[in-house]
Every structure is written in structure tokens, then in C-alpha cells.
Amino acid sequence: MDPTIFLCKFFQNLSNFPGVLQSIEVVHAYSFVFSSHSVIVLLLSYNLLLTKMAASADSTHDVVSLLSSPQRDFLLRNNGDQVKIESLKGKKLGVYFSASWCGPCRKFTPTLVEAYNEIVSKGDFEVVFASADENEESFKGYFSKMPWLAIPFSDSETRSRLDELFHVRGIPHLVLLEETGKVVTEDGVDIVRDYGVEAYPFTSTRIQELRAREEEARRNQSVRSLLISPSRDFVISSDGNEILVSELEGKTVGLYFSLNSFQRSSEFTPKLVEVYEKLKAKGENFEVLLIPLDEDEESFKKVLGSVPWLSLPFKDKICGKLVQYFELSTLPTLVIIGPDGKTLNPNVAEAIEDHGVDAYPFTPEKFAELDEILKAREASQTLESVLVSEDHDFLIGKDGVQIPVSELKGKVVLLYFSAHWCPPCRAFLPKLIDAYHEIKAKGNALEVVFISSDKDQASFDEFFGGMPWLALPFGDSRKKFLSRKFKVTGIPKLVAIGSSGQTSTTEARDLVLQYGARAYPFTEEKIQDIEAEEEETAKGWPEKVTHDTHEHELVLTRRRVYYCDGCNEQGYAWSYYCGECDFDLHPKCVLEEDKGSKDDTDVKEEDKSKDGWVCDGEVCKKV
């Protein structure tokens, strides 16, 4: 599958911050998906939600036959009491598929409990828990925290039947039914997460009203509409005082989404404090408001006590809504709200890291000015300006011997951002070593510099010990500058600096994977030459083929990187491709005479447990 398509499919189910954050961290570590593609959070769209609700609404169920079995006409409370299923007739119903081992379930359950406790007093709503736990002890421990009913753990047949009936392929999963037993939606998790008790009575009409209200609020956005809730019209200062939201009106406000346990957030906060204090000293009408995403209150208090700005209260409901409203996709994020209450910029964190206080007032005009400064800076770039910082003017070779940066002048230099703990890095390393030796054997001027993200000196030493090139010393302060300069958000990453000292490409890793040593010297002109050669190579190949490993016709297609569905090996440049099925075959798998179609016995099946699950941070799915 094309890595870009894989990335999009991977994120389709994400819509709430905790899961988004976990996935962001995974992509940073496992960046086999090209780092040139930004992580996009694909929130569930309005039209998709309504379409799925409309499709679900065609189903109506009798509550008794839905939840009972021939041996059982009752449900359980967590104290062991039995409740007749007949008593649920005429009530709105939520069937909640969840499990104690599922992280996303444990995060969502308190949200559902909160909404349930507000709604249940109306007397016309109930939730029934259908467990996916592996044993009764786990079921009882998890169910003890739930105020609603449950299907007995012993009735696995009914639970399995409900799984199939409501197409449960991932948990948490919440099906909402009307009093008549008519299914309103199978997307109850998204609805409760987005709107909570406001979504009651969970009808399509009510959801449409809430969506329309959201759109209206977006059109008429103001500091008040963003930050005020029905129960709160204030924010808090670092010393705990309440400050009216109205005092922020007319100011430029930075909404700072931060998680203290996330390294990039903790590294960025001191830089933002520095900029904030300089702007305040100059009398600028600027304020920062922390949008806390911490799960631990002590951690939140520690952070708030160390910064000079304001904050929303810990675990305020508005925090989660703002995460979705601004489609948060990375941390740290600093959204700028202009004096008119409108969004001026969705994230200036990178600009502050690059330019500090000079990025203020964060207007399009200011960023255009900064772009010109950057272009001028890049035009005058030299190898020394990239790799030398004050008295740090050397690299290290084997046994720690110091090599002056000046000795690399006139060579093509590859900056290799990597780490021993990163599996994609370890997988890429042999390919880079092979290309390095082949390029050097031809007498070409090349050097590679390892820039480590390892966690300790021993890991650095072990990993660097298998490399034939140079490195920055472990813990060298230049790493932070280089990571920021080349926007390193995932590893492995390979940046090519040309013999003139100018950056040739920040995507040299892809070029090594695709072309190996042929990519040297990693210039655009060289890649164009290689692509022209590949066009020539493919001239004699048929444009369309049929193959007995796939039911549709396959078309010869330019594909940057893919995995062959025939031999399961990575491929580049050309594929015989079916766009309808996202199916690829290497040209060699199609054209080589000794490669026939694969027998069923040749196809390797993944080793999957029958009841296996995979969690992606937001939902746990059946394999």
C-alpha cells in the first residue's frame, strides 16, 4: 500500500486529542511514512456522520429480543442486582461495546459516565454494557466503575451476536436507539465525545442543530465564543486568581496547547516565556492562554506555577472542544487570535522557535517579511554556518577522534538524523551504508554525519559503532539547532548539503531508498536524469496487463514507493497498479518469465490470533 494512503487510513478514526497525541508520537518514531507529508487529523465530517446516521436509522429492534437469550431475561447492575429487560421498553438506549484492556475505552468511559449521570434522571435513557473483556474478573473490575446495566459476562453468545449485528470492528463503540428500538446512529462515541449531554435526545435533528450552531459560532468567532462555557466566564492566572474572559477582548491572544510530559512542549515553553516577557516589557497588547492537556493535576499545577500567563482550568470541557475546533495535529501549537477575535494564524510555534520575538504580531505581512529573511539566509548558507556553533567546530570519528568541520568543505554531506531505539532507523541503516560505500568507491566526495536521538551514551556508542562515517558528539547542542532548521519531525531523516554548502534536499532518505548510490549528488538535476532513464527503461513494457493474482486489469503507473502485493517487497518508480483496489505488482513480478502467478500455498498469511485486536490510540480494532 502507498505509505501516504496508509497514513490517511490510519488517521481516519481519530477525533479526540489523547488518541491524536499517541498517534503523533508513533509517527514521529516510526516515520517510514514520508516525513514530507504532514500528519493530518481527519475529523469525522458532518455529511459522513449524517449519512451513517440515515443508513442506521433503517434498522428497528425489539429491545427484549435484542438483549435477551433463551436462558436469560435480565441484565445486571454492578452490585449483582438483576433488572428485567422488559423495564427498558419505551426508553432510549445506548449499547456500549468496550473492554478494560482497551486504552481508548478507558479514556472514553468517564466521558460517557458524566453524560449518563446528567441524563438518567430524566427516566427515559439507559446504557447497556457489552463487554469484550477476556475474563470475568476483568469484566467485574471494569463494570464496577459503570453506573448502567450490562449483559452478563457468561452470555458470550449474545455479546457476539450484538457485535455482528452492529458491525463492531473497533471499540469503544456506542449504538444509540430511539424508544421504539429504531437505531439512531452507530457513531454514539463521536456524538457523546463531541457534544456530551447537549446531544440528548440523540436524534439526527438534534445533531444537525448542534452542527449548524457550530458553523454559526465559527462564522461569528470571538474570544468569548471560544473560551466561555455555560458554567464559567473566567480563566485563571498562575497564582490561581480568576480573570474575566472579557479582559482578553481587544488583545492578541495566543492559545497555547501544551502537554508537559511531551518533550517538544516542555522544550518550547521556556522559549515562549522569553518571547512573552519581552513583548510585555515593550508594552505590547499580547496575552497567552494555556490550554492544558495534562491528565495529572499536579503536573498541570507545576506548569502553571512556572509560567507568567493565564490558563483554562484543569480538565475544563472547553479544552477538548478547542482541540477539535482548531483540528490540532501537532504539539506544541500556539494559535493566534487577533484583536478582532478571529483566528490570525493556526500555529506560530515554529515561527517563534525560528525568529523569537521578531515573529510578532504574527500577521501575514510579518510572515512574508520573515520568509524573505529566510530566503536570504539560505542563499548565503555554508557548511560552516550549518555545522559550526561557537567553539563547536568539529565532528567525531571512531574512538572519539575530532575531525574539523573545515575538512568536509567541498564535499557532499548527508546529515543522518537517527537513533538506535527506532526500528525504521535500524532498517534503513544497511541501505545507507551500502550506498555510502558504493559512492566512495567511485571516488566521489561524500561524507555522512550521524545526528543522534539516542537516550544515552551507551546506545549512541553501540549504534555509531556500526557506522563507517562521522557524527556529532552525543548530547551536542548543535542537534537542537539542526533539528529545528531542517524541521525534523520524524526519523530516520537524511538531509543533503551540496558541495557549495547549499541544501540540495531534505528528502535524501527517499532518494537512497529509491535509487541507492545512483542518487549522488542528490541534486534535482540528477534525479531528473534518473527519471528520464527509467522512462526509457519502461518503453518496452506493456501499458496494461492482467495477472492471475488480481481480478482487475493492472496499469503501468509511476509510483514513488509502494509494497508489492505479489512478493511483499518494497518497490519504486514503476508499478502495475489497480487504483480501485490499491493493488501493486512489481514489473519483475509481472514480466519475468520465471515468475508465474503465485499459488495459494505461496502466499504468506499474517500470524493473527482469531480474536486479536490492534489499538491505534483512539479505537481498538479487530484484526
Side-chain angles (χ1 to χ4, degrees), residues 64-138:
V64 175
S65 60
L66 180 70
L67 299 175
S68 64
S69 69
Q71 296 79 32
R72 179 185 51 79
D73 63 353
F74 61 87
L75 299 168
L76 294 178
R77 291 206 178 278
N78 58 22
N79 61 2
D81 288 350
Q82 296 181 1
V83 176
K84 293 289 186 180
I85 296 173
E86 283 278 350
S87 66
L88 299 182
K89 282 191 171 183
K91 289 188 176 185
K92 299 175 181 65
L93 189 66
V95 183
Y96 181 42
F97 300 85
S98 185
S100 63
W101 52 260
C102 165
C105 298
R106 294 196 304 272
K107 288 172 182 172
F108 174 71
T109 295
T111 302
L112 183 58
V113 168
E114 184 178 357
Y116 175 87
N117 287 338
E118 289 190 52
I119 297 169
V120 73
S121 61
K122 300 179 185 293
D124 65 348
F125 178 68
E126 191 53 81
V127 172
V128 176
F129 171 39
S131 174
D133 278 299
E134 298 172 349
N135 56 67
E136 190 157 10
E137 184 179 355
S138 299

Side-chain angles (χ1 to χ4, degrees), residues 389-403:
S389 175
E390 298 176 347
D391 59 339
H392 294 267
D393 60 354
F394 63 89
L395 304 166
I396 59 171
K398 298 307 174 184
D399 300 321
V401 61
Q402 295 186 2
I403 309 296

Side-chain angles (χ1 to χ4, degrees), residues 41 62 74 299 361:
V41 181
D62 174 72
F74 61 87
S299 177

